[in-house]
Amino acid sequence: MTIIDDLVTDNEAASEGSIAAGNGVLGKRLLRKEDPALLTGEAVFTNDMKVPGALHLAVLRSPYAHAKIVSVDVSGALAMDGVLHAYSGADLADQWAAPMPCAWPVTDDMKNPAHFPLAATKATYVGDGVACVLATSDAIARDALEAIDVEYEPLPAVIDLEQALADDVVIHDEIGTNVSYTWPLVIEENEGDCQKAMNESAHVVKERYVQQRLIPMAMEPRAVVAIPQPYGGDMTLYSATQVPHILKVMTALTLGIPEQQMRVVCPAVGGGFGSKLNVYAEELLCVQLARTLKVPVRWNEERGENAQATIHGRAQIQDIELAADENGKITGLRVRLIGDMGAYLQLVTPGVPLLGAFLYGGVYEIPKAFDFSCTSVFTTMTPTDAYRGAGRPEATYAIEHAMDALARKMDIDPLELRRRNFIPKESFPYEAYTGLVYDSGDHDKAATVAEGMVDYAVLRERQRSQNVEGATKRLGIGVSTYFEMCGLAPSRVLASLNYSAGGWESATVRVLPTSKIQVVTGTAPHGQGHETAWSMIAADKFGVDPADVDVLHSDTAIAPLGLDTYGSRSLPVGGVAIGMACDKVIDKARKIAAHQMEANEDDLEFSGGVFSVAGSPDKEMPLAAIAFEAFTAHDLPDDVEPNLEVQVTYDPPNFSWPFGTHICVVEVDTETGHTDVLQYVAVDDCGNKVNPLIVDGQVHGGVIQGLAQALYEEAVYDSDGNLQTSGLAEYLVPAASDVPPITTGESITPSPTNPLGVKGVGEAGTIGAAPCVMNAIVDALSGLGVRDIQMPASPVKVWTAIHEAQAAPNSQENQ
Amino acid sequence: MIPAAFDYARAESAEEAISLIGQHGDESKFLAGGHSLLPLMKLRLAQPTVLIDIGRLTDLSYIREDGDVIAIGAMTRHMDVENSDLLAQHVPLLAHAASHVGDPQVRHRGTIGGSICHSDSASDLPATTLALGATYVAQGPNGTREIAAGDFYQGFLTTALAADELLTEIRVPKMNGAGWSFQKFNRRAQDWAIVGVAAWRRNGDSGIGLVNMGSVPILASGVSEALSSGASIEDAAAQAPEGCDPTADLNASIEYREHLARVLTRRALEEASSS
């Protein structure tokens, strides 16, 4: 039964968590402006575009995980009616000015095999493009793929990460190894402190966790339309992407197109979760073929193609050792990762484990006895890259699942163990063992709120009475806490991590002559509701109705500056830039108002969209009048330029640090292995909330995605490297009917890092949910001797774990 | 997800449908609700050259009482089976099982006849009608014949229907107050059952249909015989996997399927015995 409570769909609903400012619109649960067009089908997605004369691209994909391409014969396709062109990878090998981009060379000696839109000599995963066709319709193009004759010489697949490390089969001959890089992060007062903690601490738990491969499965697969201008070489690329600005630069560089001639536009985009944070082969193929053939070229991804040819996420093996003193206070932490890069490095593939590296300490006081290292390997599977949370859910899972293992070992309550290690509220801002400064936090509060919502003590009592010998429905209670590194990112920090770009965001705010407002943002929404939230920020500043604010985005001709949407950055970086730009517009308007009213600027008050002179109630001037004065420029102060428009680029001084506590209750059917999530409570402190309705939506969706990792989703490959879960019947994305009741709780600790006090919330739910659910399942079954279960906890896996634990001779000792 | 090219013909009557399939032969298929056939075509696992659309044969959409049986037109949508008062009164097990088919969109388009003709052993309605001892009415160029459910399912996605026969009616005996239960075990609500059990019990009689325990829907007659000779529910249910031939897939090993068949049969019989 589906019950998502807490959904208020009434714009008149009372505000909560309001940010003290302007007209009070901030903090209200306004319905999203975006939704009517999306819900009525009016919104135009890339593949909805009507483009007369466009040729349809279809890509022939390797059925082998690893194979030499001996020959490609496209003549059969070319002979078909409606097929205009067909190319092998070798045919197009001279078309690329540079290989496909990887923007994150994490170490100086990182191995990065050259990667081109079509493979010419060797296919290295099932789904790797080896040839393509251009035809007058999508159907003809896809039929024509069957007429292309490719001779392959199959080679052994490399699916297992430890086997990949062994280099028995080397995938990319030119680099001579499957290891891309090893990236260490050792933080110790004195060399050997971590080992010392492992040797000398009262309690040490040593665990191995497998972060299974996940397929992001955005509801809208990818789609591309490339339209060349008839003269002069200008090119417009329409793409279902979440990174139009990055894509513009990278397309220009990869294809040798002068950047000023490239324009990227994202029509409505139906979800991304990081999978559209990339530069893909099909985008480059469409642009380059459109450019050389001087005709529009389009491509639309099928669902099964999406599963194979769009990036996957997670895919790590984590070995974690956690040491604690007799009271459970953490004394040392060691982490060894093997990261599965897949067949190639995509845009930020190698950086994903680094984003997590700083969060293995969770919300706890960790001494400088930390030893982390990640070795990342190539495999013959779809490339991995950033997927909702990108490294941070993996890290949080490891520390939170290990904390539960420690609590079991010490036989103390997992919430109590966490409390003993929380960074105390008074310590913020807190310089962590990594050197990063957590700007704010109140972990005890978030935990206490969550604890109260589930009536934790009563639950534990109920668990004791329910989980008696012979019980077939066992209750489990799962707790997880998290700190998230959001608001990507301070540019200087990115420099220290070898990332090739900055982390700033741009906003332009313009008051039109009729006093309507345009906000131009460099963020690229693909479902998040930026049009609503950004208009609320501006409406609040100017004292106007959000309906009078229009948000322009996702077109590099309209919003030329920006770094797009990912890493829960849009509000704490892009939204903050908008607030700052509004303030600067108001400053300018104040000068004009002072001039017009012959008053001193310092005596002017701005409230409800009106400037008034303190002490002279009859003297006032609305923003509308000032906007018109600024436009006509008939009577402006000498040092003031016409028009009310300001552009701001904001580079955050720190990350933002959302945190929270999730608690869930599960019932595991020991006869079938089925897990029923009875209750889920999420307390996510994301600082001030611009629109709590959108925050709740992000938390609900995030929790479901994290729960999906715990219970349902896994990209399964067979030993030959065939993806066995390329459809939605096999890859189990939960539907509404599979969602448990989710209740969100309130904790607001404003960020001191930015003037809005906001932190970002896009990834929080996902980060908290997977460890929460898995902790609950193990909690339900530990009394039967089950030590752990790897994700996803499918019924057959749970049933098998119970069976094995019961069969083990020492099962009672494991309790 | 673009099917291979095919031709399309729409039938205005059952007779015309049968005549059309006779004309077009083996490579043609009837299209009813399209919720089994079209996905296979989109994946190009099925590539019929002609689709004969029987979607307009509204006279085959009905649920009516006919003496000791309830007669259901083959074109009746799952949603109508689920919500039928007549079925709720006389064959509640079938109405309930229909509510577990796919998701609401599927149930509004998919038909009981289509599901039975597709004869997927993982589908809910073939095993349920088998457990209920249903009879299927087939119409061909030379008239109609009745096929017992027990004789209908001949192999993986293969039925006793001749190539030019159209299933027109499903005749289900009234349950006459029998206790019943439908146990569907899956990971997501919309999925096919990993294992499912449809069971009824009345005095010494019972019928147990197993979903996804082999290449065809299975009547667990061993369980019924054990029950009628006085075995306990637990002991009878232990025989559920006998005669089954389940396969392993991403969701289940063979051993696990057999285990589930025992557990779910026991639960189904317990529920059927208590109602």
Side-chain angles (χ1 to χ4, degrees), chain A residues 1 55 59 154 167 174 180 189 200 271 290 337 385 419 571 618 747:
Chain A
M1 201 58 210
L55 295 182
V59 177
D167 273 342
E174 67 275 25
S180 178
E189 294 285 357
E200 298 175 4
L337 288 192
D385 207 315
R419 280 210 163 91
L571 177 60
D618 54 325
S747 170

Side-chain angles (χ1 to χ4, degrees), chain A residues 111-155:
Chain A
K111 304 275 196 305
N112 179 19
H115 180 200
F116 294 97
L118 290 181
T121 57
K122 198 178 187 191
T124 51
Y125 64 98
V126 172
D128 205 358
V130 298
C132 68
V133 164
L134 288 175
T136 52
S137 79
D138 196 14
I140 293 173
R142 290 187 185 275
D143 280 346
L145 295 181
E146 295 181 7
I148 296 176
D149 192 14
V150 183
E151 191 188 333
Y152 295 97
E153 185 183 315
L155 297 165

Side-chain angles (χ1 to χ4, degrees), chain A residues 215-237:
Chain A
I215 304 177
M217 288 285 184
M219 194 181 289
E220 180 209 20
R222 291 185 293 124
V224 182
V225 178
I227 303 181
Q229 298 309 308
Y231 305 103
D234 283 4
M235 174 69 66
T236 304
L237 167 60

Side-chain angles (χ1 to χ4, degrees), chain A residues 575-598:
Chain A
V576 168
I578 291 163
M580 295 169 106
C582 291
D583 287 339
K584 288 193 172 180
V585 168
I586 292 166
D587 287 345
K588 182 173 179 180
R590 184 187 307 276
K591 282 197 171 72
I592 298 170
H595 176 77
Q596 292 276 330
M597 294 192 282
E598 297 178 338

Side-chain angles (χ1 to χ4, degrees), chain B residues 159-173:
Chain B
T159 70
L161 284 174
D164 57 358
E165 277 184 317
L166 176 69
L167 179 70
T168 55
E169 188 175 277
I170 293 91
R171 299 175 65 78
V172 193

